[in-house]
Short mmCIF file of all heavy atoms in Angstrom, two decimals:
data_model
loop_
_atom_site.label_atom_id
_atom_site.label_comp_id
_atom_site.label_asym_id
_atom_site.label_seq_id
_atom_site.Cartn_x
_atom_site.Cartn_y
_atom_site.Cartn_z
N LEU A 11 -7.58 7.71 8.07
CA LEU A 11 -8.76 8.60 8.11
C LEU A 11 -10.05 7.79 8.14
O LEU A 11 -11.00 8.15 8.86
CB LEU A 11 -8.75 9.55 6.89
CG LEU A 11 -7.62 10.59 6.89
CD1 LEU A 11 -7.60 11.35 5.57
CD2 LEU A 11 -7.73 11.55 8.07
N ILE A 22 -19.39 8.70 18.06
CA ILE A 22 -19.67 9.94 18.79
C ILE A 22 -20.98 10.53 18.27
O ILE A 22 -21.83 11.01 19.06
CB ILE A 22 -18.53 10.96 18.65
CG1 ILE A 22 -17.30 10.47 19.43
CG2 ILE A 22 -18.94 12.36 19.15
CD1 ILE A 22 -16.05 11.28 19.20
N SER A 57 -5.35 23.66 33.69
CA SER A 57 -4.22 23.05 32.94
C SER A 57 -4.18 21.54 33.17
O SER A 57 -3.93 20.76 32.24
CB SER A 57 -2.91 23.75 33.31
OG SER A 57 -2.14 22.97 34.16
N LEU A 60 -6.84 19.72 31.12
CA LEU A 60 -6.47 19.51 29.73
C LEU A 60 -5.71 18.15 29.59
O LEU A 60 -6.02 17.33 28.72
CB LEU A 60 -5.58 20.67 29.26
CG LEU A 60 -5.12 20.67 27.82
CD1 LEU A 60 -6.28 20.59 26.85
CD2 LEU A 60 -4.29 21.92 27.52
N ALA A 62 -5.73 15.69 31.79
CA ALA A 62 -6.58 14.58 32.24
C ALA A 62 -7.56 14.12 31.14
O ALA A 62 -7.83 12.93 31.00
CB ALA A 62 -7.35 14.99 33.50
N VAL A 63 -8.08 15.08 30.38
CA VAL A 63 -9.02 14.72 29.30
C VAL A 63 -8.27 13.88 28.24
O VAL A 63 -8.79 12.85 27.76
CB VAL A 63 -9.61 15.98 28.64
CG1 VAL A 63 -10.31 15.64 27.35
CG2 VAL A 63 -10.59 16.64 29.59
N ALA A 76 -8.39 -4.06 22.70
CA ALA A 76 -8.62 -5.44 23.17
C ALA A 76 -10.01 -5.92 22.79
O ALA A 76 -10.20 -7.07 22.39
CB ALA A 76 -8.42 -5.50 24.68
N GLN A 85 -9.99 -7.29 14.49
CA GLN A 85 -8.56 -7.00 14.28
C GLN A 85 -7.94 -8.06 13.37
O GLN A 85 -7.11 -7.74 12.52
CB GLN A 85 -7.79 -6.94 15.62
CG GLN A 85 -6.32 -6.55 15.39
CD GLN A 85 -5.51 -6.44 16.66
OE1 GLN A 85 -5.89 -5.72 17.58
NE2 GLN A 85 -4.38 -7.15 16.70
N LEU A 100 -2.64 4.04 14.75
CA LEU A 100 -2.80 5.50 14.58
C LEU A 100 -4.29 5.85 14.40
O LEU A 100 -4.80 6.79 15.04
CB LEU A 100 -2.00 5.95 13.36
CG LEU A 100 -1.54 7.38 13.32
CD1 LEU A 100 -0.71 7.73 14.52
CD2 LEU A 100 -0.72 7.65 12.04
N GLY A 101 -4.95 5.10 13.54
CA GLY A 101 -6.37 5.34 13.30
C GLY A 101 -7.20 5.21 14.57
O GLY A 101 -7.99 6.10 14.90
N LEU A 111 -12.11 15.53 22.47
CA LEU A 111 -11.93 16.78 21.74
C LEU A 111 -12.69 17.96 22.36
O LEU A 111 -12.14 19.05 22.53
CB LEU A 111 -12.33 16.61 20.27
CG LEU A 111 -11.81 17.66 19.31
CD1 LEU A 111 -10.29 17.72 19.32
CD2 LEU A 111 -12.31 17.38 17.89
N SER A 118 -8.73 24.30 26.86
CA SER A 118 -7.80 25.22 26.18
C SER A 118 -8.37 26.62 26.19
O SER A 118 -7.64 27.59 26.47
CB SER A 118 -7.57 24.80 24.72
OG SER A 118 -7.01 23.52 24.70
N ALA A 122 -6.89 29.94 28.09
CA ALA A 122 -6.58 31.18 27.36
C ALA A 122 -7.32 32.37 27.97
O ALA A 122 -6.71 33.43 28.18
CB ALA A 122 -6.96 31.02 25.90
N ILE A 130 3.40 31.59 21.30
CA ILE A 130 4.41 30.55 21.49
C ILE A 130 3.97 29.58 22.57
O ILE A 130 4.15 28.35 22.48
CB ILE A 130 5.78 31.20 21.85
CG1 ILE A 130 6.20 32.04 20.66
CG2 ILE A 130 6.81 30.14 22.24
CD1 ILE A 130 7.65 32.26 20.42
N ALA A 138 2.80 19.70 23.97
CA ALA A 138 2.61 18.89 25.19
C ALA A 138 1.43 17.94 25.04
O ALA A 138 1.48 16.78 25.46
CB ALA A 138 2.40 19.80 26.39
N LEU A 173 -3.02 7.02 37.96
CA LEU A 173 -1.54 7.07 38.01
C LEU A 173 -0.95 8.10 37.05
O LEU A 173 0.15 8.60 37.28
CB LEU A 173 -0.97 5.67 37.68
CG LEU A 173 -1.17 4.59 38.71
CD1 LEU A 173 -0.58 3.28 38.23
CD2 LEU A 173 -0.52 4.98 40.06
N LEU A 174 -1.68 8.37 35.97
CA LEU A 174 -1.11 9.28 34.95
C LEU A 174 -1.67 10.70 35.02
O LEU A 174 -1.04 11.60 34.51
CB LEU A 174 -1.36 8.72 33.55
CG LEU A 174 -0.68 7.39 33.20
CD1 LEU A 174 -1.13 6.90 31.84
CD2 LEU A 174 0.81 7.54 33.22
N PHE A 181 -2.36 18.56 38.33
CA PHE A 181 -3.32 19.55 38.85
C PHE A 181 -2.67 20.48 39.87
O PHE A 181 -3.35 21.30 40.48
CB PHE A 181 -4.52 18.86 39.50
CG PHE A 181 -5.49 18.26 38.49
CD1 PHE A 181 -5.34 16.96 38.06
CD2 PHE A 181 -6.53 19.02 37.97
CE1 PHE A 181 -6.22 16.40 37.13
CE2 PHE A 181 -7.41 18.47 37.05
CZ PHE A 181 -7.26 17.16 36.62
N GLU A 189 11.38 17.68 47.80
CA GLU A 189 12.40 17.50 46.78
C GLU A 189 12.89 16.06 46.66
O GLU A 189 13.13 15.56 45.56
CB GLU A 189 13.57 18.44 47.06
CG GLU A 189 14.28 18.83 45.79
CD GLU A 189 15.12 20.09 45.95
OE1 GLU A 189 14.99 20.80 46.96
OE2 GLU A 189 15.91 20.35 45.03
#
Side-chain angles (χ1 to χ4, degrees):
Chain A
L11 292 173
I22 290 171
S57 104
L60 182 56
V63 167
Q85 184 179 307
L100 204 57
L111 198 58
S118 299
I130 297 209
L173 290 178
L174 297 174
F181 285 91
E189 209 161 347

